[in-house]
Amino acid sequence: MAGSTGTVGVLALQGDFREHLAVLSGLGASARPVRRAEELAQVSGLVIPGGESTVMDKLARTFGLAEPLKAAIASGLPVYGTCAGLIMLADRIANPIDGQQTLGGFDVTVRRNAFGSQTESFEVDLDVPEIGSPAVHAAFIRAPVIEQFGAAVAPLASLADGRVVAARQGNLLGTSFHPEMTGEQRFHELFLRIVAAA
Ligand code: GLN
């Protein structure tokens, strides 16, 4: 796959960006951390990792990355957000902290920490038709869910109770869970196909 995708960036302000870099490199992609606007300008796709969206938001604004990121998303840069990364991509947060902003672009409303403090983390097998079999073994860690989504959004996976935990809107891909932590590579493969086609 290397070559057709150019260099894919992983936003490296905070969170588990190293794991994403390892998955992408393992798939043969050229991958680099992105911390500055000049680095963002050099990538043909971007992964926003899991971590803490409130902190990532503050760091992105402090380091002058928020506006370049919004512009890149608006101009069609393929972006894959996992967990906090999905929150960063969401147009709306049902329960933001005071002053919390997102980059937006993804016409979804997410609820942060949707499983409450009793269920900090859990793992479950998910049927994801877009990914195929076997089922996706998904790890949820203080995870958000997608509560509402617009017509341009295709839900890709839901929990047994119907709550959406993976979706795609054009060049944007988002998962509530962390494929990079369970040896699941197929979402990154899908993302690299989106990058190659963009
Ligand atoms: N709860 C975190 C947030 O609101 C996300 C957790 C994660 O990325 N694993 O950003």
Side-chain angles (χ1 to χ4, degrees):
M1 210 165 294
S4 60
T5 59
T7 296
V8 176
V10 180
L11 188 64
L13 297 174
Q14 192 267 340
D16 75 332
F17 55 88
R18 292 177 194 83
E19 285 77 359
H20 282 285
L21 288 166
V23 175
L24 291 165
S25 302
L27 289 171
S30 159
R32 64 171 295 173
V34 168
R35 294 189 181 86
R36 292 151 11 116
E38 305 86 82
E39 294 165 341
L40 177 65
Q42 290 162 14
V43 299
S44 50
L46 184 74
V47 174
I48 305 183
E52 177 50 52
S53 60
T54 55
V55 177
M56 225 182 276
D57 164 41
K58 283 192 188 131
L59 292 174
R61 288 190 272 146
T62 302
F63 292 120
L65 260 175
E67 292 308 320
L69 281 166
K70 286 181 199 173
I73 294 166
S75 71
L77 181 75
V79 184
Y80 173 28
T82 62
C83 203
L86 166 62
I87 297 170
M88 292 295 292
L89 284 176
D91 280 343
R92 297 165 299 275
I93 305 178
N95 55 343
I97 66 161
D98 241 16
Q100 181 174 5
Q101 297 176 24
T102 69
L103 302 168
F106 215 146
D107 184 9
V108 298
T109 304
V110 294
R111 177 171 296 277
R112 302 175 50 241
N113 305 329
F115 302 94
S117 52
Q118 297 304 309
T119 313
E120 287 264 302
S121 68
F122 62 97
E123 299 187 11
V124 70
D125 286 333
L126 288 177
D127 178 35
V128 189
E130 180 92 10
I131 294 293
S133 72
V136 170
H137 188 68
F140 292 80
I141 304 166
R142 300 183 62 233
V145 294
I146 295 172
E147 283 200 341
Q148 180 271 339
F149 55 89
V153 176
L156 300 182
S158 309
L159 296 171
D161 63 12
R163 288 188 287 177
V164 174
V165 291
R168 177 174 175 184
Q169 177 189 326
N171 286 341
L172 303 179
L173 181 66
T175 58
S176 299
F177 48 89
H178 291 271
E180 76 283 4
M181 288 186 176
T182 54
E184 172 60 69
Q185 302 188 330
R186 291 172 292 172
F187 284 92
H188 292 78
E189 284 173 345
L190 170 61
F191 181 62
L192 292 175
R193 288 199 294 275
I194 294 171
V195 174

